[in-house]
Each structure stands twice: as structure tokens, then as C-alpha cells.
Amino acid sequence: MKITLGAVSKPYSALKMKTGDWGTHWPKVDEELCTGCGTCEMFCPDMCIEVVKVGEEEVNGKIKEIKKAKVNYDYCKGCGLCAEVCPANAIKMELKDIYKV
Amino acid sequence: MKFFFSSGHGACPGCSLPIAVKNVLYALEGKCFVVNPTGCLEIISSQYDRSAWGVPYIHSVFENAAAVAAGIDAALKALGRKDEGHVVVFAGDGATADIGIGCLSGMFDRNHDVLYICLDNEAYQNTGNQQSGLTPPGSNTTTTPAGKILPGKIGRKKDMVAFALAHKIPYVATASVAYPNDIRRKVKRAVEFEGAKYIQILCPCVTGWGINSNETIKVARLAVETALYPIVEYENGELVRVRKIKERKPVEEYLKIQRRFRHLFKHPKGREIIEELQRIADENAKRFGLDE
Ligand SMILES: Cc1ncc(C[n+]2csc(CCOP(=O)(O)OP(=O)(O)O)c2C)c(N)n1
Ligand code: SF4
Ligand code: SF4
Ligand code: SF4
Ligand SMILES: [Mg+2]
């Protein structure tokens, strides 16, 4: 007989909880200003802003990746911390359309 | 999933607990077994079939996380599986400084190879802000309510760093979520030591402290810049490093932006508490040589 003690959940099974509708605001990243530094990613409590490669550029004869912050709106709770910590001031919190009257 | 902690957990927007956890797990590259007693972190991340964890995780009861971790350490040793990962506890301040302190003392005393992390949000936050041994003086909690007579909590914040050091464990440090790079470095350093390690991380709570969701990092930084939360690091009982402060700020700057301290600016005994907190900050600055 097999006995299972306690309850066991699968890794990352929380991903089925889409928390993107919790907040009233969205962070919008201004790609002109974003330097791809990764500060927002290190702080986001909901693991939903990530620095990703968007292209390449040549700097002094060397190929360098261009990185920008991308928000996953399925989970973003709109806390505004990313906008607070961004050293380049590249993130603005915007009211979601459904809350505009 | 480089943080080994996923989206979809149930923390309040802006909660700082996941920030501490993701940076600890990142530093360990996920090579760990996590023990987590009851508290906000457990409630938000480990509901049945809704786990945010990407590493082996066990929810202990409220008071015995250190004992469960000691058991895992003993089992890994007995099975010859020590190389599989570090044993890490994430526990709240209530679980650490009050209810689990007996088990914690035993684990320290036996010097188990465990990294114990106290996520210090300065009260029992999951049940709605009751004072713990780590609640600072003056804080308005549901068990130390500011009223006509009392100005919030009377008494001081328990010195858990001294408690850990008294057990002669090899590594003891404090940190703040405002400085994730410092958390990562300390975690990497801590696990170089064989034996019990204690790191206490200041983690502001949005609802209990009465701050906005985008202010947790600012408040965690101000606690350090006022010297109310000294950032220190001990190796084998020796103070090896502190975070210096460029221009120390008056404690009022930290207190006035939090609802839990706001009464101090109107209460007849409020001034006295503010002066006491300033005295504590001055004492910290002097004791640890924090002023640059
Ligand atoms: C023995 C026992 N007493 C009380 C509780 C109720 N309880 C659950 S979480 C909690 C507060 C935890 O406080 P802390 O350890 O500081 O963690 P936080 O939630 O603040 O992160 C309490 C009192 C419990 N689960 N078990
Ligand atoms: S608003 Fe908050 S949850 Fe959303 S991406 Fe920014 S830090 Fe993350
Ligand atoms: S913190 Fe700002 S500049 Fe840095 S990656 Fe994020 S959005 Fe870009
Ligand atoms: S009550 Fe406080 S500690 Fe708990 S999830 Fe909310 S912000 Fe985080
Ligand atoms: Mg707590």
C-alpha cells in the first residue's frame, strides 16, 4: 500500500493564478530611455518584468546585445516598484483603460 | 525561471518578501531545500496545487522550522547526499524571535549546517499586524494599539543578532531588501561556512506598516539610512563589515511616512518615543561605526 503523507504540489503550479487583473495601473517601459540594466527585474516581487535581447549593435567594432525590459501583463500587479527603482526613469505607471471614466 | 520562485503567488502588490526570497534563491542557483514555517510567505506561495516554488520546499508548523531543517541536515549527512543542496529556512520574525526561538536555539547549539533566514517585517503580519519581539518601539499594532494612554509598543526590538552570536555560530548578518546585491553576496558567503548561519533581512510590509505598494524599497532604504536598521556582518564572532551611511537622516524621515508610526507626531508621549528611537539610531551608529 502506498501512503502519501501531507500534500504535495507541483513546482510553479502557482502560474495558473493570473494576477494581472489585480492592479489599476500598468507599467509602460520607454524603450528610448531603458538601458537594459536589470534593476527592475531584480526588484519585481512578481517576477513579471524581464530584461530581454531585442537586437544587436556594433560598438567599437564589437557586436553588443541590445537589451530592454519587457513586462508580462498576465501577472503584473501594478505595484509601481519597478518605476520607483529604475535609475533611468524609463517606466511610467499608466491607469488601465477600464478605470478611465 | 532563474529566480526559482514564480509569478502567480498571492502576496499583496509591492510586498517585499518575494524580493528577498528570489534573490536568496538566485544566489544559491536553486541548489537548496527550503523549510518555511507558517506566515505570510507560506500562505502566499504554498496553497495546495498553487506552489510558486521551483526548489524542494516543506511547510513546517509555526514553531519548529529550525528543528525540521536540522532533521533534513542530519538525513542528508546520513544518506551521503550533502552535495545536493543547502538547507535553508525562510521564517518570519514572529516564527524566529518568539514562537520558534527554542527550536532555533537548539539548532544553533548543535551547529547544524543550515542557513536560517529571518524575513523581518517587524510583526505577525499574516494575521494582521500583532507585535512580535522584533516590533520596534512606538509601533501601532493590534496588540499594542496607540490610544489615549499608550503610544504603541513599549519596550525595545529584540537583538536577534546578539542572540545568534551568543551561540558562537560561524556566520551572522543583517540585510535589507533595498540592497539585493548585498543579500546575494551575503548568502554566497554564508554557505561557505559549515555550520549554522543566520541572516536577518528587513522586509517592509505594505498593509501592516501602512505604506504604498511602490514604497517598500524606499522605506527599507530609509531604515538603513537613519541607522535604525544597522547592516552588519560577523564571521566567527568577529564584526567584519558594516554598511556605512553617507549622510545619516533623522529618524522622523523614516517614521512620518508610515501609518504605524504616524500617531507619534500627535500623541502626548509621542515625542518621548521619537527621541528614544533617535537615541537607538545614534547608539547603533556609534557602536558599529556607521557614519562615514
Ligand atoms: C501555533 C500557531 N499559532 C498561531 C498561528 C496563526 N498564525 C499564522 S501566521 C501567523 C503570523 C506569522 O508571523 P511571522 O512569523 O512574523 O510571519 P509574517 O506573516 O509576518 O511574515 C500567525 C500568528 C499558527 N498558524 N500556529
Ligand atoms: S508594477 Fe510591480 S508587479 Fe508590475 S512589473 Fe512593476 S514591479 Fe513587477
Ligand atoms: S530598471 Fe529601467 S533602465 Fe533598467 S532595465 Fe528596468 S526599465 Fe530598463
Ligand atoms: S500582509 Fe505584508 S508581508 Fe503579508 S503579503 Fe501583504 S505586504 Fe506581504
Ligand atoms: Mg512577521
Side-chain angles (χ1 to χ4, degrees):
Chain A
M1 187 174 67
K2 189 171 172 277
I3 302 172
T4 305
L5 289 176
V8 180
S9 302
K10 295 241 161 64
Y12 304 136
S13 42
L15 283 170
K16 65 168 81 65
M17 292 285 291
K18 299 276 169 73
T19 51
D21 58 359
W22 285 25
T24 52
H25 289 67
W26 292 131
K28 294 278 171 214
V29 180
D30 183 338
E31 295 215 343
E32 294 287 303
L33 296 174
C34 174
T35 60
C37 70
T39 307
C40 52
E41 180 173 331
M42 182 157 64
F43 280 101
C44 172
D46 287 278
M47 282 56 72
C48 54
I49 188 162
E50 199 184 356
V51 173
V52 295
K53 183 180 158 184
V54 293
E56 284 175 350
E57 64 184 340
E58 215 187 285
V59 186
N60 302 329
K62 281 200 188 109
I63 300 290
K64 228 183 103 207
E65 288 185 350
I66 304 171
K67 290 177 164 179
K68 302 287 171 197
K70 286 266 179 293
V71 181
N72 182 344
Y73 294 105
D74 281 349
Y75 297 101
C76 169
K77 292 175 186 165
C79 70
L81 270 180
C82 51
E84 278 294 308
V85 299
C86 173
N89 244 325
I91 304 180
K92 294 274 166 299
M93 297 305 292
E94 280 177 15
L95 191 66
K96 291 178 184 173
D97 281 346
I98 52 161
Y99 294 105
K100 285 184 185 151
V101 279
Chain B
M1 290 289 186
K2 64 182 175 194
F3 293 113
F4 302 93
F5 194 79
S6 75
S7 314
H9 63 71
C12 308
C15 175
S16 66
L17 299 177
I19 304 174
V21 169
K22 73 192 259 190
N23 283 290
V24 171
L25 297 179
Y26 180 85
L28 296 173
E29 295 169 19
K31 263 191 88 175
C32 57
F33 300 90
V34 169
V35 182
N36 180 204
T38 310
C40 267
L41 177 65
E42 171 264 322
I43 298 288
I44 65 166
S45 69
S46 77
Q47 275 182 54
Y48 180 61
D49 203 26
R50 276 166 175 45
S51 171
W53 297 86
V55 294
Y57 167 95
I58 183 167
H59 168 211
S60 70
V61 292
F62 202 3
E63 48 277 76
N64 71 350
V68 170
I72 296 174
D73 172 48
L76 290 173
K77 276 184 188 135
L79 296 169
R81 289 173 57 180
K82 282 282 296 168
D83 57 327
E84 284 183 29
H86 304 284
V87 183
V88 179
V89 177
F90 287 109
D93 50 290
T96 302
D98 302 336
I99 191 161
I101 201 164
C103 290
L104 181 60
S105 178
M107 190 275 278
F108 281 170
D109 188 41
R110 296 185 301 274
N111 202 22
H112 282 282
D113 197 16
V114 169
L115 171 59
Y116 189 103
I117 295 187
C118 171
L119 300 172
D120 185 9
N121 54 21
E122 302 197 314
Y124 292 83
Q125 297 301 0
N126 188 63
T127 37
N129 195 29
Q130 292 79 36
Q131 78 113 11
S132 80
L134 290 190
T135 302
S139 186
N140 183 11
T141 73
T142 58
T143 46
T144 58
K148 280 213 181 70
I149 298 174
L150 286 178
K153 172 166 172 167
I154 304 287
R156 288 182 68 157
K157 185 179 170 83
K158 198 182 283 187
D159 189 349
M160 284 302 288
V161 168
F163 172 87
L165 287 170
H167 290 77
K168 314 280 181 222
I169 61 172
Y171 186 89
V172 179
T174 56
S176 157
V177 279
Y179 310 106
N181 285 326
D182 183 55
I183 296 177
R184 293 175 182 187
R185 185 189 62 75
K186 282 177 173 152
V187 166
K188 285 196 185 126
R189 181 69 185 140
V191 295
E192 285 174 15
F193 292 87
E194 163 104 34
K197 283 83 65 172
Y198 179 75
I199 304 180
Q200 183 174 302
I201 308 177
L202 181 70
C203 297
C205 165
V206 177
T207 55
W209 293 23
I211 54 179
N212 294 327
S213 63
N214 64 352
E215 288 179 328
T216 40
I217 297 304
K218 175 171 116 185
V219 169
R221 198 181 305 123
L222 271 173
V224 176
E225 290 173 344
T226 53
L228 275 173
Y229 215 88
I231 303 300
V232 299
E233 189 175 14
Y234 290 85
E235 295 181 3
N236 297 313
E238 293 282 321
L239 183 64
V240 293
R241 215 172 277 109
V242 299
R243 176 174 275 271
K244 293 271 187 186
I245 306 168
K246 277 211 184 71
E247 267 169 65
R248 189 143 59 88
K249 302 200 162 118
V251 296
E252 279 98 333
E253 270 192 49
Y254 173 66
L255 305 175
K256 71 183 178 206
I257 56 173
Q258 303 175 55
R259 194 185 52 229
R260 64 176 177 156
F261 292 122
R262 212 159 281 156
H263 61 282
L264 295 177
F265 296 90
K266 308 191 282 270
H267 198 281
K269 291 196 188 115
R271 203 63 248 161
E272 230 174 90
I273 298 276
I274 293 173
E275 279 164 16
E276 188 191 334
L277 284 161
Q278 188 59 59
R279 215 166 28 245
I280 292 170
D282 294 345
E283 207 178 281
N284 287 337
K286 193 162 160 235
R287 180 170 161 212
F288 299 112
L290 300 178
D291 292 322
E292 211 165 60

